[in-house]
Amino acid sequence: MRSLNIKQFVWLLLILSAFLFLSSCASAPRIDYVPKTGGDYVVASWYGPKFNGRPTSSGERYDMYAMTCAHKTLKFGTELRVTNPDNNKSVIVTVNDRGPFIRGRDLDLSYGAAKEIGLMEKGVGRVRIEYVGRNMRYAKRVPFIPNEDSGALVIQVASFTDKSNAFRLKKGLEVRYKNIYVTKVNIKGKKYFRVKIGKFRDHKKALAVVQNLADEGYEVFIDTY
């Protein structure tokens, strides 16, 4: 087999880089996505007993029988009509969690919602989603911002006793935000895993991020670094 010269090797690297870039863009969810009028077709799956009773990314406890779902970017409280085109059965669900984090999937329905539209047996399938509205009780108020003399700021998005919940939320936040990490603290012998963003030296930037997070439905807390 003939070896590549330097010029050919450089061109090969450029082609491979472009291919990887386009592949990653194609799989990345759109920020501030809302289903178009008339609906969009997406790939849905479902999750059930393993997560039942555990905190969702919105802070609510997951109830596998409730009509809820997980989406990577839609604001918590977003209500969607989900229709299974195989049987034309529909259900209205509320976004209260982040996910799914498996390539090629766009929506994770609760066990109850998947059963309602006949997606249980199939497990994964194409559905149509339509925007119905938003339950604004999920939107949170912006907390107090320390004064400019406080120094650098850090934003705490959530705190969990379960490590896996913290890293699941971290993965969801990374779709939209940067510099996210998980810290561990011990309080009275109990471990807590805190999901944080920052640090921010610019208080205006911190406030903008906090406003976005609060509007999405996160119960944020601001502290000095």
Side-chain angles (χ1 to χ4, degrees):
M1 183 177 177
R2 190 180 67 179
S3 60
L4 298 175
N5 60 39
I6 294 176
K7 188 175 181 179
Q8 289 173 321
F9 182 71
V10 170
W11 272 109
L12 180 61
L13 283 178
L14 288 172
I15 292 168
L16 286 172
S17 297
F19 175 77
L20 289 171
F21 175 75
L22 290 172
S23 298
S24 64
C25 288
S27 63
R30 303 201 305 271
I31 302 301
D32 296 327
Y33 163 77
V34 174
K36 64 187 178 185
T37 303
D40 284 335
Y41 282 89
V42 301
V43 177
S45 51
W46 64 272
Y47 63 132
K50 179 181 176 182
F51 298 93
N52 197 41
R54 290 169 58 176
T56 62
S57 296
S58 68
E60 291 184 334
R61 293 280 172 181
Y62 174 60
D63 179 353
M64 61 186 278
Y65 300 104
M67 298 299 116
T68 60
C69 69
H71 190 274
K72 295 182 186 73
T73 61
L74 285 172
K75 295 175 180 179
F76 298 137
T78 298
E79 296 177 340
L80 301 171
R81 178 179 287 107
V82 182
T83 303
N84 184 349
D86 293 342
N87 54 25
N88 213 33
K89 289 184 177 180
S90 295
V91 66
I92 293 178
V93 295
T94 302
V95 177
N96 74 341
D97 204 0
R98 288 290 174 243
F101 299 116
I102 296 175
R103 186 180 178 86
R105 299 186 190 180
D106 308 294
L107 194 71
D108 243 351
L109 296 171
S110 66
Y111 168 90
K115 186 175 182 181
E116 188 76 15
I117 64 171
L119 193 68
M120 286 288 302
E121 295 76 16
K122 198 172 182 180
V124 180
R126 194 163 171 258
V127 299
R128 186 175 76 249
I129 59 171
E130 301 167 85
Y131 178 78
V132 175
R134 189 185 181 201
N135 185 334
M136 293 307 295
R137 75 174 179 82
Y138 284 84
K140 302 296 191 295
R141 68 179 183 83
V142 177
F144 171 75
I145 299 290
N147 61 49
E148 290 292 335
D149 297 328
S150 301
L153 303 177
V154 62
I155 301 169
Q156 180 176 303
V157 185
S159 181
F160 299 96
T161 55
D162 187 325
K163 183 178 179 180
S164 63
N165 285 343
F167 280 93
R168 189 164 180 265
L169 175 57
K170 177 179 181 289
K171 196 166 187 177
L173 289 168
E174 285 172 339
V175 174
R176 184 186 293 263
Y177 303 99
K178 297 179 180 179
N179 195 18
I180 302 157
Y181 54 97
V182 176
T183 62
K184 182 176 75 173
V185 295
N186 284 282
I187 300 175
K188 295 182 179 179
K190 196 170 185 178
K191 292 180 183 177
Y192 292 89
F193 299 90
R194 294 175 172 174
V195 184
K196 297 185 176 184
I197 304 178
K199 55 186 178 182
F200 295 87
R201 296 194 181 279
D202 187 327
H203 285 216
K204 288 183 180 179
K205 286 184 179 179
L207 179 58
V209 173
V210 167
Q211 286 175 325
N212 285 334
L213 288 164
D215 184 50
E216 284 181 54
Y218 294 104
E219 193 77 63
V220 291
F221 171 76
I222 302 176
D223 200 2
T224 54
Y225 188 81

